[in-house]
């Protein structure tokens, strides 16, 4: 798994737009897994998970990582084709897609500590914005959540965009 895959086709957005497929992708970010492992983690059925994995494979987001013989059958292990995904310039639905995916993870909100959602604005020069985007990109999104047994998954939705906020004139 090398550089992030650029998402551009309708099939890719459709594949990632379904909540269960989005959860499968999140599981495969941890490590390659078999259909049985995915089914157990999702609390679903093998037929349902198998269908959604097939949609992700047809969209070019998941691939077969390997097979092995088990009790007279063949067990398949699946992995993501890329360590991360990036929106293509021509992806007009990019923002809506990302917000929808993040919203599906946030709602229904779990009660208790850990809900830290806020909207903030930074005032940056174009050079500062570019430098910040590069620093955020350099963070290692591939750190495995299983490294710390007490760790819980937190979603992080970052979007560095030029906001349409007018400027007040200086105070007199």
């Amino acid at each position: 798994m090398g550089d992030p895959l650029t998402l551009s086709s309708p099939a890719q957005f459709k594949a990632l737009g379904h909540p269960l497929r989005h959860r499968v992708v999140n599981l495969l970010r941890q490590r390659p897994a078999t259909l049985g492992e995915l089914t157990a983690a999702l609390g679903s059925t093998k037929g349902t998970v198998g269908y959604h994995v097939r949609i992700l494979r047809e969209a070019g987001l998941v691939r077969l990582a390997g097979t092995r013989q088990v009790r007279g059958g063949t067990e398949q292990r699946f992995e993501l084709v890329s360590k991360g995904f990036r929106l293509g310039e021509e992806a007009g639905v990019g923002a809506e897609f990302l917000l929808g995916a993040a919203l599906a993870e946030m709602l229904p909100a779990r009660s208790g500590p850990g809900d830290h959602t806020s909207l903030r604005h930074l005032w940056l020069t174009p050079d500062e914005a570019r430098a910040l985007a590069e620093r955020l990109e350099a963070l290692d999104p591939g750190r495995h959540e299983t490294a710390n047994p007490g760790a819980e998954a937190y979603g992080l939705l970052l979007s560095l965009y030029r906001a349409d906020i007018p400027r007040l004139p200086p105070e007199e």
Side-chain angles (χ1 to χ4, degrees):
M1 284 192 277
D3 292 333
L5 173 71
T6 300
L7 301 175
S8 57
S9 78
Q12 291 171 327
F13 287 109
K14 183 177 178 184
L16 289 171
H18 190 281
L20 186 64
R21 291 192 288 266
H22 187 75
R23 294 184 73 202
V24 168
V25 167
N26 285 334
L27 287 170
L28 293 176
R29 279 193 171 116
Q30 297 171 41
R31 64 171 176 81
T34 65
L35 203 53
E37 291 170 328
L38 293 171
T39 299
L42 293 167
S44 189
T45 65
K46 243 183 185 175
T48 298
V49 174
Y51 167 78
H52 290 292
V53 167
R54 183 172 51 85
I55 298 296
L56 290 166
R57 285 184 73 188
E58 289 171 357
L61 304 172
V62 169
R63 67 178 164 221
L64 185 63
T67 61
R68 71 179 183 137
Q69 292 303 119
V70 290
R71 288 181 241 121
T74 303
E75 181 180 70
Q76 298 179 323
R77 184 171 293 281
F78 300 97
E79 67 182 357
L80 293 177
V81 299
S82 176
K83 161 175 164 173
F85 302 119
R86 172 186 315 237
L87 293 174
E89 296 282 327
E90 67 282 356
V93 297
E96 294 88 356
F97 163 73
L98 287 175
L99 291 173
L103 193 58
E105 286 185 8
M106 286 189 269
L107 300 175
R110 290 170 47 189
S111 61
D115 186 7
H116 308 288
T117 303
S118 65
L119 173 63
R120 301 178 192 242
H121 293 96
L122 303 173
W123 292 87
L124 306 168
T125 66
D127 287 339
E128 289 171 329
R130 196 172 11 268
L132 178 57
E134 289 170 1
R135 285 178 42 209
L136 292 171
E137 188 72 29
L139 292 175
D140 182 13
R143 277 185 31 191
H144 292 286
E145 296 81 8
T146 57
N148 181 350
E152 291 187 44
Y154 284 83
L156 178 63
L157 175 64
L158 289 173
S159 179
L160 190 57
Y161 59 93
R162 188 170 303 168
D164 184 19
I165 299 174
R167 227 182 235 280
L168 289 172
E171 281 189 290
E172 295 180 16

